[in-house]
Amino acid sequence: MTTGGPPRDHGDPGDAPTVPPPLTEPVNTARPSAAEEARTIAASTNTGTLASLTADGDPWASFVTYGLLDGAPVLCVSNLAEHGRNLAGDPRASIAIVAPATESDPLANARVTLAGYVERPEGDEHAAARDAHLSAVAAARYYIDYSDFSLWVLRVQRVRWVGGYGRMDSTSGAAYSDAEPDPVAPHAARAVAHLNADHAESLAAMARALGGYPDTTAATCTGADRYGLDLRLTTERGLAYTRIGYPTPINVIDELRSAAVELTRRARMR
Amino acid sequence: MTTGGPPRDHGDPGDAPTVPPPLTEPVNTARPSAAEEARTIAASTNTGTLASLTADGDPWASFVTYGLLDGAPVLCVSNLAEHGRNLAGDPRASIAIVAPATESDPLANARVTLAGYVERPEGDEHAAARDAHLSAVAAARYYIDYSDFSLWVLRVQRVRWVGGYGRMDSTSGAAYSDAEPDPVAPHAARAVAHLNADHAESLAAMARALGGYPDTTAATCTGADRYGLDLRLTTERGLAYTRIGYPTPINVIDELRSAAVELTRRARMR
């Protein structure tokens, strides 16, 4: 978990749209760490793009399927395919994974690069890796035991997470391995829709009292995770974004309702 | 355009599902070439994954948006981002592009890798590349003129196309540049649905008389392009696939109806 504003990679945005700053200190900006975000993205799908090295050391991008073994991508590729030959020749590799799109602007969506090197799993790890791949990629049962196919586990050493515009961070392979995917975010769509449909005034009250934007006129929840809510605000100064952390993190989607009730109570108390 | 069966990269499929061979010679198996397929996939979306090289020569996979300038991907990336620094340090690059999914099995979908090196466009080409990127990625208007963003054109030298299971081929950058995207396939969904809903018996007749499977009991059209129809068949020997080329290629979707009528006439004549 981290707190504080999102890091930005770019300088002066020139004449691009600007976002008004908060007028008061947000009460609790707790949100998933980069390692947690990366684990959540990796767990959200079963396809990505591998970067491997050709015999000439050229970078080769290729579509792959994967399963996860404690967060490490498990690939199953043919030794006859270019990426299979590449991995056998040089184990350095990375994989880019894009979370299922929630925004129409592609760069607003979350993605991650996991970089390191591949190894062929052996013994108990081979069995676990095979199970991990098969449980994520059902069709692999038709080819996983072909003699020309091999399993590869990506040992993640370095992680680059991009959550969308202006939300990005790097982290280590160790932090990635130690983190866990968010248990709430993948199941939050219905609860978020309910908050927006039936509790819009509560969300605006949270933004005014807890989110640093007392001039909020309307608020929309754009996502929920174990640590809190992301809100998009209409303020008297224009479009803004804030974060409303729960008093304590939650572990399952069923706890979101009581957390939102408590946030509403605190917002109206202030 | 090419003819003949699809190349296969794998050997004996062991106990995987097998497909019965045709009993007669298919009449016309014309289909798009690998270069044409690659151009069609590249034109089907505006996102892909770049493989670039870090300062250590490690392969780095990263999500990118692109436009197309005569088929060459035009990227717009920040020099502050890892992939921007990588391209500035070593121009070798490739991009993997996945066509919008039509099959639930991810490896059944079409994708392509375009490999070569990047250059910063200059003069007239810079203006054309800027227009190409903006016309494909509308949100780029907010950052394309930031001082830290650069345009890069990928000079494609080598292409690897994978159309799905068992359909794959390599081609040159020159063939890719000279080809054009299929003018029919991206617009064929409604016509294909109509063929399946209202002309299933005609499709089965085509498969029996023209497609090499006289034991066809039912046929479903799975796609149409400028050269012909892809059919999935139920035969007395199991599930099969065939290709029904039109007598002459078509150039617009409006010509598909008369081409299908002519195929039906020929199928019933035999």
Side-chain angles (χ1 to χ4, degrees), chain A residues 9-14 16-17 46-47 49-54 56-65 78 80-82 92-96 98 105-107 111 113 115 139 142-143 146 148-149 158 160 165, chain B residues 9-14 16-17 46-47 49-54 56-65 78 80-82 92-96 98 105-107 111 113 115 139 142-143 146 148-149 158 160 165:
Chain A
D9 266 18
H10 305 293
D12 176 27
N46 63 354
T47 62
T49 298
L50 182 72
S52 58
L53 294 173
T54 71
D56 293 331
D58 295 344
W60 184 256
S62 58
F63 181 70
V64 291
T65 51
S78 170
L80 303 172
E82 180 138 2
R92 290 179 290 172
S94 64
I95 184 170
V98 182
D105 176 354
L107 293 181
R111 63 270 191 190
T113 296
Y142 292 121
Y143 53 80
Y146 281 18
D148 62 304
F149 275 77
R158 190 159 72 87
R160 179 67 176 171
Y165 288 107
Chain B
D9 266 18
H10 306 293
D12 175 28
N46 63 354
T47 62
T49 298
L50 182 72
S52 58
L53 295 173
T54 70
D56 293 332
D58 295 344
W60 184 255
S62 58
F63 181 69
V64 290
T65 51
S78 170
L80 303 172
E82 179 137 3
R92 291 179 290 173
S94 63
I95 184 170
V98 182
D105 176 355
L107 293 181
R111 63 269 191 189
T113 297
Y142 293 121
Y143 53 80
Y146 281 19
D148 61 304
F149 275 77
R158 190 159 71 89
R160 179 67 175 172
Y165 288 107

Side-chain angles (χ1 to χ4, degrees), chain B residues 57-187:
Chain B
D58 295 344
W60 184 255
S62 58
F63 181 69
V64 290
T65 51
Y66 67 88
L68 290 173
L69 185 61
D70 298 330
V74 178
L75 313 180
C76 176
V77 300
S78 170
N79 309 330
L80 303 172
E82 179 137 3
H83 51 200
R85 297 195 305 270
N86 289 351
L87 295 179
D90 191 320
R92 291 179 290 173
S94 63
I95 184 170
I97 301 167
V98 182
T102 57
E103 302 282 342
S104 60
D105 176 355
L107 293 181
N109 285 304
R111 63 269 191 189
V112 67
T113 297
L114 310 175
Y117 61 93
V118 293
E119 284 186 333
R120 286 198 160 119
E122 295 185 0
D124 288 351
E125 193 188 29
H126 184 277
R130 186 177 182 282
D131 288 349
H133 190 87
L134 283 171
S135 76
V137 186
R141 68 183 185 276
Y142 293 121
Y143 53 80
I144 197 167
D145 295 321
Y146 281 19
S147 60
D148 61 304
F149 275 77
S150 295
L151 292 176
W152 297 95
V153 176
L154 179 64
R155 310 296 184 194
V156 178
Q157 298 178 297
R158 190 159 71 89
V159 174
R160 179 67 175 172
W161 160 72
V162 180
Y165 288 107
R167 294 184 61 217
M168 53 191 71
D169 205 356
S170 298
T171 190
S172 68
Y176 174 82
S177 295
D178 290 346
E180 61 176 34
D182 195 278
V184 172
H187 312 289

Side-chain angles (χ1 to χ4, degrees), chain A residues 2-266:
Chain A
T2 61
T3 58
R8 292 195 72 93
D9 266 18
H10 305 293
D12 176 27
D15 58 357
T18 56
V19 172
L23 295 174
T24 59
E25 187 72 18
V27 168
N28 177 3
T29 59
R31 62 167 59 255
S33 68
E36 289 172 309
E37 296 275 15
R39 287 294 295 263
T40 303
I41 294 167
S44 72
T45 182
N46 63 354
T47 62
T49 298
L50 182 72
S52 58
L53 294 173
T54 71
D56 293 331
D58 295 344
W60 184 256
S62 58
F63 181 70
V64 291
T65 51
Y66 67 87
L68 290 173
L69 186 61
D70 297 330
V74 178
L75 313 180
C76 175
V77 300
S78 170
N79 309 330
L80 303 172
E82 180 138 2
H83 51 200
R85 297 195 304 270
N86 289 351
L87 295 179
D90 190 319
R92 290 179 290 172
S94 64
I95 184 170
I97 301 166
V98 182
T102 57
E103 302 282 342
S104 59
D105 176 354
L107 293 181
N109 285 303
R111 63 270 191 190
V112 67
T113 296
L114 310 175
Y117 61 94
V118 293
E119 284 186 332
R120 286 197 161 120
E122 295 185 0
D124 288 350
E125 193 187 30
H126 184 277
R130 186 177 182 282
D131 288 349
H133 191 87
L134 283 171
S135 76
V137 186
R141 68 183 185 276
Y142 292 121
Y143 53 80
I144 198 167
D145 295 321
Y146 281 18
S147 60
D148 62 304
F149 275 77
S150 295
L151 292 176
W152 296 95
V153 176
L154 179 64
R155 310 296 184 194
V156 178
Q157 298 178 297
R158 190 159 72 87
V159 174
R160 179 67 176 171
W161 160 72
V162 180
Y165 288 107
R167 294 185 60 218
M168 53 191 70
D169 206 355
S170 298
T171 191
S172 67
Y176 174 82
S177 295
D178 290 345
E180 61 176 34
D182 195 278
V184 172
H187 312 289
R190 182 186 294 192
V192 167
H194 169 69
L195 283 173
N196 288 324
D198 295 347
H199 301 284
E201 185 42 48
S202 293
L203 295 174
M206 292 178 205
R208 285 190 288 263
L210 308 174
Y213 287 87
D215 59 342
T216 296
T217 56
T220 301
C221 182
T222 59
D225 53 54
R226 72 188 314 175
Y227 298 112
L229 307 176
D230 285 316
L231 300 188
R232 184 174 58 223
L233 313 179
T234 305
T235 77
E236 292 166 5
R237 295 168 295 142
L239 187 69
Y241 299 86
T242 194
R243 176 76 181 177
I244 309 289
Y246 314 130
T248 54
I250 63 177
N251 292 307
V252 295
I253 186 67
D254 291 347
E255 295 172 5
L256 179 58
R257 185 176 183 283
S258 58
V261 167
E262 176 61 18
L263 286 174
T264 302
R265 193 185 68 78
R266 294 189 183 203

